[in-house]
Amino acid sequence: MMASTFQENCISVINGAPSKAVFFLFDLLDNFLCIVFRFLDQVMEEKLESCQCNNPQETAEFSGYEFLQDHQHLSETLYRRRNVFREAGFLRFARKLPEITKKIEKPKKVPREVANRWSDCGCKNCVSWTNSDKLNVIVKQPSVSPDLLMSNKPIESVIFIHGILASSSYWTNTVFKYLPETTEKTNYRFFAVDLLGFGDSPKPRDCRYTLKEHVEMVEKSVILPYNLTSFHVVAHSMGSIVAVALAAKFSGSVKSVALVAPPYFGDKEGASCDALDVIAEKKLWPPTSFFSAMMVWYEHIARGVCFIVCKHHRTWEKIIKIITWRSKVPMAVTELTKHTHQSSWHSMHNVLCGGAKFTDKHLESLINSGVKISVVHGDKDAAVPIDCLWNMKAKFPEVEVEVIAGTDHSSVIMSRKEVFVANLVSLWASSGKKQN
């Protein structure tokens, strides 16, 4: 008991004055990098793209805020992030950059992929998505055998949606190995998608990665092409917000929704900003919280990290192979770099934070339609506090919840794959009678 109290006191001290000092310096660094990236964008691309350092409703200095026509789908956290230097007007110099860079003699540039910014990786794998306008979807279908064809059992379709900074491999390399192709009464067909901006899916630079755009892409890439008139949805973390929105849009077709560690903050005034304070609280410990705060609060620091890690992922992969003496890089590492700053930054804000103001409406729609909703959460989850689960349960008693002792944001699935799959199959079997 004394050891636990001592540890808590140490964490409290670390997250006190030192935390404020570090994030004060980050405020300064982010403003400095804003000027650097604006300058480099103008020189490298002869195009000054807007950032969210100013409230777009209060400035007209750049034309990059035309997306405000669809402002209801954007999160106010994009431009309401507190920064002492920005509020003090330290960005006035950046406003003069267009005039300054016009006077610089620019070298002739070799034609390059239009899809990617200069700070994004342009390797063959990273731009392969330009050949498609749909999401990358991994499909696992029942084996075609005489017995299966003669069974006349209905086919149940299930869509799996991953969380932030992940991809379809989060499911295909783990729980897909345990999913049954067929049971006594049902044949199954599984779809694992790479969300817009992640994995091998398109990463358009002119996209704001709103919740609406994510849902529309899943519809375009899975529901319409495969003519799904009845299906189940399974999702993890940020993917839960997309899953609930997708299910609500097709509440007459969806049969069940299984959520793992869903961020939930209630539909109230300032819900998006509340979400930002919870999922990215400014503190130094634990390290995961510190990294989340750095990547979510600071647009240009986050872009710098993506430039170092994602643009140069091939170099890091070679180094990891040398250090680990392995011929292949762990999938978790490769998937971590399969995004751009544009896709990760806007998805974090417009889905994780901005989605908070839509979740209640979507859950109400599903419950009114009689859709079965099951939620699993780990009691040691530091990424999405377990309070999110209890708040959802208090607001929507119809939601079935289960707390898994001793598990965190990832191990709630990874440490119990077979049990997790068994529970899913039980949920699918007990929900609805719609068939596709």
Side-chain angles (χ1 to χ4, degrees), residues 259 262 264 363 375 388-397 399:
L259 308 176
Y264 175 79
L363 287 173
V375 182
C388 291
L389 175 71
W390 300 129
N391 291 337
M392 180 188 291
K393 181 64 175 178
K395 186 72 176 288
F396 302 98
V399 174

Side-chain angles (χ1 to χ4, degrees), residues 104-256:
I104 299 176
E105 184 177 349
K106 302 176 181 66
K108 293 182 179 179
K109 294 186 284 293
V110 178
R112 54 192 305 279
E113 291 289 343
V114 177
N116 278 34
R117 305 179 74 172
W118 66 269
S119 54
D120 297 329
C121 181
C123 73
K124 184 178 180 180
N125 289 335
C126 289
V127 298
S128 61
W129 60 266
T130 55
N131 297 320
S132 174
D133 62 346
K134 294 182 181 179
L135 301 181
N136 179 53
V137 183
I138 307 300
V139 185
K140 180 181 180 182
Q141 303 198 62
S143 302
V144 180
S145 64
D147 291 339
L148 188 61
L149 293 174
M150 294 294 291
S151 66
N152 292 322
K153 290 188 290 188
I155 296 178
E156 296 278 5
S157 298
V158 186
I159 301 174
F160 287 79
I161 303 177
H162 62 82
I164 191 74
L165 303 186
S167 73
S168 56
S169 65
Y170 182 85
W171 302 108
T172 58
N173 292 337
T174 54
V175 300
F176 264 43
K177 299 176 182 179
Y178 302 94
L179 290 170
E181 290 185 352
T182 183
T183 61
E184 183 180 345
K185 297 182 179 180
T186 310
N187 296 321
Y188 287 105
R189 178 174 54 171
F190 305 108
F191 302 88
V193 303
D194 287 341
L195 286 175
L196 182 65
F198 298 93
D200 294 323
S201 285
K203 305 171 181 66
R205 60 184 292 176
D206 59 347
C207 178
R208 295 298 164 179
Y209 299 91
T210 62
L211 181 58
K212 178 183 177 183
E213 288 171 311
H214 279 291
V215 169
E216 287 177 346
M217 282 298 288
V218 177
E219 176 185 1
K220 176 182 178 180
S221 307
V222 182
I223 295 177
L224 295 181
Y226 292 93
N227 192 29
L228 301 190
T229 57
S230 176
F231 58 94
H232 305 267
V233 185
V234 180
H236 175 245
S237 191
M238 184 196 78
S240 298
I241 301 175
V242 179
V244 170
L246 175 72
K249 184 173 183 177
F250 295 92
S251 58
S253 301
V254 71
K255 298 174 69 173
S256 74

Side-chain angles (χ1 to χ4, degrees), residues 365-401:
S365 174
L366 292 175
I367 291 172
N368 292 337
S369 299
V371 177
K372 200 166 186 177
I373 304 173
S374 176
V375 182
V376 179
H377 210 115
D379 66 344
K380 304 296 183 184
D381 195 328
V384 178
I386 197 170
D387 287 347
C388 291
L389 175 71
W390 300 129
N391 291 337
M392 180 188 291
K393 181 64 175 178
K395 186 72 176 288
F396 302 98
E398 300 87 350
V399 174
E400 297 180 0
V401 303

